[in-house]
Structures are given as structure tokens and as C-alpha cells.
Amino acid sequence: MPQFEPQDPDYERRVRASFARQRIMETIGATLQLVAPGEVEITLPFREDLTQQHGFLHAGVVTTIVDSACGYAALSLMPPETGVLTIEYKVNLLAPASGARMLARGRVTKPGRTITVCAGEVFAEVDGQEKLVATMTATTMTIRERPGVSD
Amino acid sequence: MPQFEPQDPDYERRVRASFARQRIMETIGATLQLVAPGEVEITLPFREDLTQQHGFLHAGVVTTIVDSACGYAALSLMPPETGVLTIEYKVNLLAPASGARMLARGRVTKPGRTITVCAGEVFAEVDGQEKLVATMTATTMTIRERPGVSD
Amino acid sequence: MPQFEPQDPDYERRVRASFARQRIMETIGATLQLVAPGEVEITLPFREDLTQQHGFLHAGVVTTIVDSACGYAALSLMPPETGVLTIEYKVNLLAPASGARMLARGRVTKPGRTITVCAGEVFAEVDGQEKLVATMTATTMTIRERPGVSD
Amino acid sequence: MPQFEPQDPDYERRVRASFARQRIMETIGATLQLVAPGEVEITLPFREDLTQQHGFLHAGVVTTIVDSACGYAALSLMPPETGVLTIEYKVNLLAPASGARMLARGRVTKPGRTITVCAGEVFAEVDGQEKLVATMTATTMTIRERPGVSD
């Protein structure tokens, strides 16, 4: 896995402050864990009120946490005075999202001036073991000088 | 747009019953609207507690409703005694998800015995106009004889 | 389908000139057909030497023509003195690519200053009928002032 | 990286025989290299007649080799008397595909009875160094008892 040098020495505080503004995270009960250069982890305890019809977490909930993990992994490498937007992502759902807790990990695959590509994984903690339940590839964009979009 | 013939004459009741079991939908305030052969619509009023850091609906929330719209569009064409699972999807985020209400529409592109591919769109209602904010391509699978996965 | 206004009045000549520089197109025998604002069509007669192991056109060949159709649909709406690059795409393979000729159509879903999103379709001509064999969603980027990347 | 146990002891011969039937590979000059359980590598020397308008290998050519690498990685874990089809893939193009030779590597992320998901990477060999130029996520399907589709 590549090592990245952050352009903003204050990257961790910046990511944590932006995450704190994502009101959805409080609504679903997700917590920001690791913030490292090019890598972010978010956890989500299982909740019945976030499930789909078979009793698993809805794919959209899994996507929510891994999208934020990828977006903030990208932001951790962006220069000061910029913002991050997700342009698109693709998610493969590999196993049912059941288990006591989900761990979403986002990592930068390729940083760039405008486009940063990230890879995400979501693990379910089942009986003390981690099981891979989803993968994401996300394309994010560094936003400069757009009112309302800074992080 | 192609016309589809449902294999299950009871498709609408079946889709509505399955949707009613998606607890996430009640949690976020989404409502099932149209259920037609190969086409489903879901609406979601804007809510501050579902937003990301810039005040727009989080991409994961947008994904949640359009994933269900696509999955149920697929289910509407599946034979009785089967269930639907989403294998993967790809979402492009075209504009910020702001506006009074979101409308997610899922349509079957290609039905199949095992694999059904769907196209989804999400529109934001802004000042009485519809604005396209996201597109989805979803690949779903017809599940036969798997305990816990029937719809 | 939306109507688009080209920013470059010379868009058609520009697309045709760029296509003529894609040496792969001559190699596989593909031909540029329609060039309209936000829409491009490319055809490819079936050839045995482009097949995969079951005798169908290889998915990569199908992708080649629909990627160019999408990229040039995007370019048709870009301002003069810019270039187009594809950032990413997703392809669903819906049916075997067999038949006398393939028709790839790319259309702009959402143009933008930096990012333009396109939808592509590939049809096989089988017994005088068109059969949808693949769909693409492509994200392209307008390139400014990068040596070697202008169209 | 996970270790996989092939279900078909003859997996390598089977993959090599199927690759030999992909006529496109001979046409573009690609060679099958490593065949291991759940992992396949294919190489392609640069050729001017496979380029796009800026002189790089066309994205569709890059896709061709990494799609086959992913598909055969999946096939290497499939039971005897089955065939492999790619349902869909997503490709991110990270850097221009220039350099003396491309190396495409496909690896199984998650094998399954019906659906097997793979991750692919393409590296360009530039001045003796490997540079990542593209990533793929591919969803493949195990085909049973379909005439014309066995590997």
C-alpha cells in the first residue's frame, strides 16, 4: 500500500470537523475512527431501523459509510482551502450486511490535482471475525472556489 | 421504453409488502409511489438530519432510495416464490441533492432468469421543476430457495 | 432526450478529425457515423479475429467502440482548444455480441465545465433487428492546457 | 490476499485452452502469463495500431486484457463442466496507457456458486518501473448447461 504525504498538515482536524457536519452520521449512529494520510475508517453498530426487507443493513446504509470513508480519505490528501465532492461510485455487495458492527475503510488508490480515486471496503464483525461484505471504487473531485463547497 | 409482462399477477401487492418490511424507509421517511411492471418510484422529502457536510442529502441516502426503486422494479418481473438481491450498482452524482423532495425511479433495462439489470434516476424537485441529480445502473439477482431471502 | 447547444460551431469536423487519429478504429474496422451535438454513433462489422472463446465479440471490443462513442459525444459539447479524457466507465453486458454488425451510440446525460457524464448503448444487428447487447455509463473530463491532450 | 483452493485440479490447462480460443488476443498480441488459483496475468506489448487519438493505448484495449485476466481468474476457481461470462465491469483510467508493455492482473475478491467478483489492475512498464494505469472491478457468472458457453 502506498504512503502518502498530506499537503495540509492540519488534515486530521479538517477531516474530523467536516465529518462532524455530516448530520446523517449522527442519525444512523456512525463514528469516525482512524484518520491517516489517504486512509479513513468509520464504524456503524447494527441497528434494526436501518435494515432492508430481509433484516440486513440496507445497501444504501453500507454505501453511506463507505462513501464517507472514501471521500475523507481523498480529502486528507487535498490542499488547504479546497472541498471534496464524490462524482461517482460503484459498489459490489458480496455478503449480507449482518453482524454486530460494520467497519468501512476508504483508501486512496491514486491522488490527483483534480481527480482522486479511492477504494473502499466494508467488513461486518461476526463472532469476533471480520467478513468482507462490500467493496467500493469511488471517484472524487477537488473543488476550488465554489461557494458552499469547502471542507 | 419496453413493455414488460409480469410473471406474477400479484406483483404489486408483493412489492408493496416487501417495501413495508424495509425499516430504513420509515426511518428516513421514504414512500413507495408507483409500482408498475418493470418500473417503481419512491419519494423522499428533504430532511436536515440526512445531510452531508455541505447541507445536501448524503449520496448514500440518494442511493438508498434509488437502489430500492431498482430492486423492486426487478422484483416486479420475477416469478412467484423468489427473492431479489442487488449484486452491485454504480451511481453518478450529477448535481447536489437539494430541493423539497427527491423522486427515485427504477426501470428494468433487461430482465433475465438469473440476472436483471436496471436503470435508476433521482430527480430533485426544485421550484416546481424536476432536476436530475443522480443516475444508477444496478445488477440484481433472482434468488430461489435460499432461506431468509424471499420477497 | 435533452437538446444541447454546441460551444464549438466546428464540433463535427473536430470530432471526425480526432476519430481519424484513433488508429485502433482502423485496426478493428470501426466507422464513425452520426455526429450530432451530444450524440455520436460508431459501427463495427463482425469479425472473427475480434472474438472471445465462445465466438462472440470480446467485451473489450464492444467497450472500445462505445467508449469512443461516449467520449466523442462529450467532446461535441466541449469548448474549442480543449481535449477529452475518459476517467472511468461501467459496462453491463446484456447479451452475447454476435450479429452482422454492432452499432454503438453515446449520448451526453449531463454536460459540465469539467465533468461530462454520458450513457452508451451497443446494439447488435441480428436478422434485420437491433438487439441491445451492452450499456455504458462513462465519466469524461474536459482537459485544458495539457500538452499532448487536445482534440 | 486470500488463498483459494481450485475445484478443478485441471484449472491451469483449462484456462490456457480457453485463452487460446480468444482470437482477439492473437490479433492484438497479448500473451497469457501466470495462471494460479484465483489469479491470472496477461501481458501486451505496446503497438501503435492499438492507440487512441493522443497516442496512448485505447482504453478499450486496456479493458480487453484486464477483462480476460479477471474472467480467467474467476474460471480458475470454477468447477469442471462450467463456463464463465462477464456480467459487468467498471474501469477507472488512472494514467495514460503508454510504455513498452502492459501487464494486466486479475484476482478473485470473492468466489461464489453463481457470482464471482474480481479485482483487476493494469500496469505500464515505463523505464523498468511499473506504473498503475487502470483498475477494474468485474462481476462474473458461472454458467452451467448452456450450449456454446463452456470453458
Side-chain angles (χ1 to χ4, degrees):
Chain A
M1 194 197 152
Q3 296 288 316
F4 297 111
E5 192 66 36
Q7 297 183 64
D8 183 347
D10 203 25
Y11 73 89
E12 180 169 355
R13 188 205 55 76
R14 185 182 176 195
V15 166
R16 293 194 182 277
S18 182
F19 182 89
R21 288 193 297 273
Q22 291 205 327
R23 297 219 25 218
I24 178 80
M25 294 300 157
E26 188 180 342
T27 302
I28 63 174
T31 304
L32 181 58
Q33 308 284 353
L34 176 74
V35 178
E39 182 172 358
V40 164
E41 292 180 358
I42 294 170
T43 53
L44 176 72
F46 187 87
R47 271 183 22 193
E48 296 282 353
D49 64 347
L50 303 177
T51 53
Q52 40 83 287
Q53 74 273 25
H54 310 126
F56 311 131
L57 286 179
H58 194 284
V61 174
V62 170
T63 296
T64 298
I65 57 171
V66 70
D67 171 38
S68 284
C70 285
Y72 285 127
L75 181 63
S76 73
L77 300 183
M78 291 182 182
E81 311 293 325
T82 59
V84 61
L85 280 185
T86 303
I87 298 175
E88 64 85 36
Y89 46 66
K90 183 239 205 286
V91 176
N92 273 70
L93 304 157
L94 305 175
S98 61
R101 199 174 80 143
M102 299 292 136
L103 167 67
R105 179 181 295 135
R107 282 176 175 160
V108 171
T109 304
K110 175 83 171 9
R113 187 181 186 283
T114 304
I115 301 296
T116 293
V117 177
C118 299
E121 295 175 306
V122 182
F123 299 91
E125 295 178 1
V126 183
D127 302 331
Q129 302 247 311
E130 285 194 347
K131 181 179 184 175
L132 182 64
V133 299
T135 60
M136 170 178 277
T137 302
T139 308
T140 70
M141 190 169 173
T142 304
I143 305 296
R144 293 174 171 84
E145 301 174 16
R146 190 186 304 179
V149 183
S150 72
D151 291 287
Chain B
M1 193 195 151
Q3 295 288 317
F4 297 112
E5 192 65 38
Q7 298 183 61
D8 183 348
D10 203 25
Y11 73 91
E12 180 170 355
R13 188 207 54 78
R14 185 182 176 195
V15 166
R16 293 194 182 277
S18 182
F19 181 89
R21 288 193 297 272
Q22 291 205 327
R23 296 221 20 220
I24 179 80
M25 294 301 156
E26 188 180 344
T27 302
I28 63 174
T31 304
L32 180 59
Q33 309 284 352
L34 175 75
V35 178
E39 183 172 358
V40 164
E41 292 180 357
I42 294 170
T43 53
L44 176 73
F46 188 87
R47 270 180 27 191
E48 296 282 352
D49 65 345
L50 302 177
T51 54
Q52 40 83 289
Q53 74 272 27
H54 309 127
F56 311 132
L57 286 180
H58 194 285
V61 174
V62 171
T63 297
T64 298
I65 57 172
V66 69
D67 172 38
S68 283
C70 284
Y72 286 127
L75 182 64
S76 73
L77 300 182
M78 292 181 181
E81 312 292 325
T82 59
V84 61
L85 280 184
T86 303
I87 298 174
E88 64 83 36
Y89 46 67
K90 183 238 207 286
V91 176
N92 273 69
L93 304 158
L94 305 176
S98 61
R101 199 175 81 145
M102 299 291 137
L103 168 67
R105 179 180 296 135
R107 283 176 176 161
V108 171
T109 304
K110 174 85 171 7
R113 187 180 187 281
T114 304
I115 301 295
T116 293
V117 176
C118 298
E121 294 174 305
V122 183
F123 299 91
E125 295 178 1
V126 182
D127 301 332
Q129 300 247 308
E130 286 195 348
K131 182 179 183 175
L132 182 64
V133 299
T135 59
M136 171 178 275
T137 304
T139 308
T140 69
M141 191 170 172
T142 305
I143 305 296
R144 293 175 170 83
E145 301 174 18
R146 190 185 304 178
V149 184
S150 71
D151 290 288
Chain C
M1 193 196 152
Q3 294 288 316
F4 297 112
E5 192 65 37
Q7 298 182 63
D8 183 348
D10 203 25
Y11 73 89
E12 180 169 354
R13 190 206 53 77
R14 186 181 176 195
V15 166
R16 293 194 183 278
S18 183
F19 182 89
R21 289 194 296 273
Q22 291 205 327
R23 297 220 21 219
I24 179 81
M25 294 301 158
E26 188 181 342
T27 302
I28 64 175
T31 304
L32 180 59
Q33 308 284 353
L34 176 73
V35 178
E39 183 172 358
V40 164
E41 292 180 357
I42 294 170
T43 53
L44 176 72
F46 187 87
R47 272 183 22 193
E48 296 281 353
D49 64 346
L50 303 177
T51 53
Q52 39 84 287
Q53 75 273 26
H54 310 126
F56 312 131
L57 286 180
H58 194 284
V61 174
V62 171
T63 297
T64 298
I65 57 171
V66 69
D67 171 38
S68 283
C70 285
Y72 285 127
L75 182 64
S76 74
L77 300 182
M78 291 182 181
E81 310 294 324
T82 59
V84 61
L85 280 185
T86 303
I87 298 174
E88 65 84 36
Y89 46 67
K90 182 240 206 286
V91 176
N92 273 70
L93 304 158
L94 304 175
S98 61
R101 199 174 78 143
M102 299 292 137
L103 167 67
R105 179 181 295 136
R107 282 175 175 163
V108 171
T109 303
K110 174 84 172 8
R113 188 182 186 280
T114 304
I115 301 296
T116 293
V117 177
C118 299
E121 295 175 305
V122 182
F123 298 90
E125 296 178 0
V126 182
D127 302 332
Q129 302 246 309
E130 285 196 347
K131 181 178 183 176
L132 182 64
V133 298
T135 60
M136 170 178 277
T137 303
T139 308
T140 69
M141 191 170 173
T142 305
I143 304 295
R144 293 174 170 83
E145 301 174 18
R146 190 185 303 178
V149 184
S150 72
D151 291 288
Chain D
M1 193 196 152
Q3 296 287 316
F4 296 112
E5 192 67 38
Q7 298 183 62
D8 182 348
D10 203 25
Y11 73 89
E12 180 171 353
R13 188 206 54 77
R14 185 181 175 196
V15 166
R16 293 193 182 278
S18 182
F19 181 90
R21 288 193 296 273
Q22 290 205 327
R23 296 222 20 220
I24 179 80
M25 295 300 157
E26 188 181 343
T27 301
I28 63 174
T31 304
L32 180 59
Q33 308 284 353
L34 176 75
V35 178
E39 183 172 357
V40 163
E41 291 180 358
I42 294 169
T43 54
L44 176 73
F46 188 87
R47 271 182 25 192
E48 297 281 353
D49 64 346
L50 303 177
T51 54
Q52 40 84 289
Q53 75 273 28
H54 309 126
F56 311 131
L57 286 179
H58 194 284
V61 174
V62 170
T63 297
T64 299
I65 57 172
V66 69
D67 171 37
S68 283
C70 284
Y72 286 127
L75 181 63
S76 74
L77 300 182
M78 291 182 181
E81 311 292 325
T82 59
V84 61
L85 280 185
T86 303
I87 298 174
E88 64 84 37
Y89 46 68
K90 183 238 206 286
V91 175
N92 273 69
L93 304 158
L94 305 176
S98 62
R101 199 175 79 143
M102 299 292 138
L103 167 67
R105 179 182 295 136
R107 282 176 175 160
V108 171
T109 303
K110 175 85 171 6
R113 187 179 188 281
T114 304
I115 300 296
T116 293
V117 177
C118 299
E121 294 174 305
V122 182
F123 298 90
E125 295 178 0
V126 182
D127 302 331
Q129 301 246 309
E130 286 195 346
K131 182 179 182 175
L132 183 64
V133 299
T135 60
M136 171 178 275
T137 303
T139 307
T140 69
M141 190 170 173
T142 304
I143 305 296
R144 293 175 169 82
E145 301 174 19
R146 191 186 304 178
V149 184
S150 71
D151 291 288

